[in-house]
Amino acid sequence: MSSTTTPVVDIHTHMYPPEYVKLLESRSEIPLIRRFAGAKDPRYIILPAEAESLDKIAQGESANLPGRPVTSHYSLLTQKIHFMDTHKIDISVISLANPWLDFVASDEAGKTAEDVNHEFEAMCGEYPGRLFFFATLPLTAPEDVLLAHVDFVKGLKHCRGVILGTSGLGKGLDDPALIPVFKAIATAGLVIFLHPHYGLPSEVWGPRATAEYGHVLPLALGFPLETTIAVARMYLAGVFDQVPDLRMLLAHSGGTLPFLAGRIESCIVHDGHLVREGKVTPERRTVWQVLKEQIYLDAVIYNEVGLKAAIDASGVDRLMFGTDHPFFPPLQSDEQGEWESMTWNKNAVEKALGSNNEGVKQVMGGNAAKILRLTEDA
């Protein structure tokens, strides 16, 4: 890649370092990795509904294998590079996938996070200029350990931010206890990559969901709504005003925020309680302003219709391309070939921006290279 060429950058791409895999294999409760007789790959089991199938198998009852297969795409570094080369991706910003370290005991979280992030740093070092990462935080650790770890990852050469789930310290991202953490992250110049996991309560999907609908409803609807709710709570709690230097990259094009921001605004200004409390003032920053000032969106939405809404809400200069690899592999073709997760998202960018080649270049990599300082190690 020449210095004058705009790189193609994938900012939404996951990996499981070997130490993380070992941790999951050692567990007897979800999340865990379990091997089954006759199955080619071990299975990663993270959802309660999947645990129910695991119990049935343990009791000798017939059941489909729970979880998702952990193929070489999840943890093999050469496989990640092969995926990048196949799809002409110059740079990837890798991150651990959900549920990160949210399940680790408090007294073990700090050391576990250090080990995992050291592994990410080492992997990036094997391919200088091609790999960077979002670090994982020990959210279950005491505050002093957590804050110290923010300072620790800031010093890692290839770290460009942290990945965070919507539960935060367990009470959500509007928890006042998170303000010192947000301030530390902002002061360190790190971007938060906000990614959903826990979704909505399983009863929302109805009694037929688990047996008949697969994972479609929680993944397609639960994840985006989870992100939308988390950021709306942060906004209502005044987090963005308390930490004005905070920068967040939202997975899946911001969930439904680009579509619902206007409705959120209407509900705020027409809420009697907020008006009486003096929280609706002429000086108040709107949701729209926060989206254009403190929020970035990824382009993992697979279609130009949703992508146009994301561009309108946040701006073409704040959108970054992603694939969500190694999730959503092709089921009817060779995994070593082209993935829809790449081609659909790339086509969406080109269709949404039409002949605007400069805008396409920005979204496909220019924005990420600038915002995340990805050419420093090229």
Side-chain angles (χ1 to χ4, degrees), residues 5 30 65 85 106 178 180 193 222 272 284 319 351:
T5 302
I30 59 170
L65 290 183
D85 291 343
S106 177
L178 267 174
F193 178 30
R284 178 185 65 89
L319 205 68
K351 290 179 180 178

Side-chain angles (χ1 to χ4, degrees), residues 52-306:
E52 293 174 8
S53 295
L54 192 63
D55 290 339
K56 289 182 179 180
I57 292 174
Q59 295 168 11
E61 299 179 31
S62 176
N64 293 325
L65 290 183
R68 62 173 68 101
V70 182
T71 68
S72 61
H73 285 268
Y74 284 77
S75 57
L76 195 60
L77 190 56
T78 53
Q79 186 71 79
K80 180 67 71 178
I81 297 299
H82 171 78
F83 177 85
M84 292 170 63
D85 291 343
T86 299
H87 298 93
K88 296 180 172 57
I89 296 169
D90 297 300
I91 303 172
S92 286
V93 186
I94 56 179
S95 55
L96 194 62
N98 52 304
W100 312 283
L101 301 178
D102 292 7
F103 57 89
V104 179
S106 177
D107 59 344
E108 300 174 359
K111 178 62 167 60
T112 303
E114 189 173 315
D115 291 343
V116 169
N117 288 322
H118 266 310
E119 280 200 277
F120 272 120
E121 176 66 21
M123 287 191 291
C124 293
E126 291 189 38
Y127 293 89
R130 296 207 69 186
L131 294 177
F132 296 85
F133 75 102
F134 293 121
T136 303
L137 295 180
L139 293 177
T140 58
E143 183 180 286
D144 60 331
V145 175
L146 176 53
L147 294 177
H149 198 76
V150 173
D151 194 55
F152 163 71
V153 299
K154 177 186 69 174
L156 297 177
K157 181 179 180 180
H158 298 94
C159 178
R160 291 299 183 268
V162 299
I163 186 166
L164 194 66
T166 56
S167 67
L169 303 175
K171 297 181 180 179
L173 301 186
D174 54 353
D175 182 356
L178 267 174
I179 294 298
V181 180
F182 287 144
K183 287 183 176 179
I185 293 170
T187 300
L190 300 172
V191 172
I192 292 176
F193 178 30
L194 182 62
H195 195 291
H197 164 63
Y198 299 96
L200 303 183
S202 57
E203 56 266 23
V204 169
W205 313 120
R208 299 177 61 180
T210 302
E212 298 183 49
Y213 306 153
H215 286 171
V216 171
L217 293 176
L219 288 179
L221 303 180
F223 270 30
L225 287 171
E226 179 183 338
T227 300
T228 304
I229 293 167
V231 177
R233 285 171 58 178
M234 290 178 69
Y235 175 81
L236 290 170
V239 172
F240 295 104
D241 289 333
Q242 292 179 68
V243 194
D245 292 331
L246 184 67
R247 297 293 181 268
M248 299 187 75
L249 166 62
L250 308 186
H252 315 125
S253 295
T256 60
L257 270 174
F259 181 76
L260 293 179
R263 182 171 178 82
I264 295 170
E265 271 296 306
S266 177
C267 289
I268 289 172
V269 299
H270 292 97
D271 189 280
H273 173 73
L274 294 183
V275 171
R276 287 190 298 272
E277 290 290 315
K279 295 182 179 180
V280 181
T281 66
E283 297 78 24
R284 178 185 65 89
R285 282 199 304 158
T286 65
V287 175
W288 297 111
Q289 287 174 289
V290 171
L291 280 170
K292 292 182 181 295
E293 294 168 4
Q294 291 182 255
I295 297 293
Y296 305 110
L297 305 177
D298 77 11
V300 182
I301 200 165
Y302 307 105
N303 188 276
E304 71 273 15
V305 175

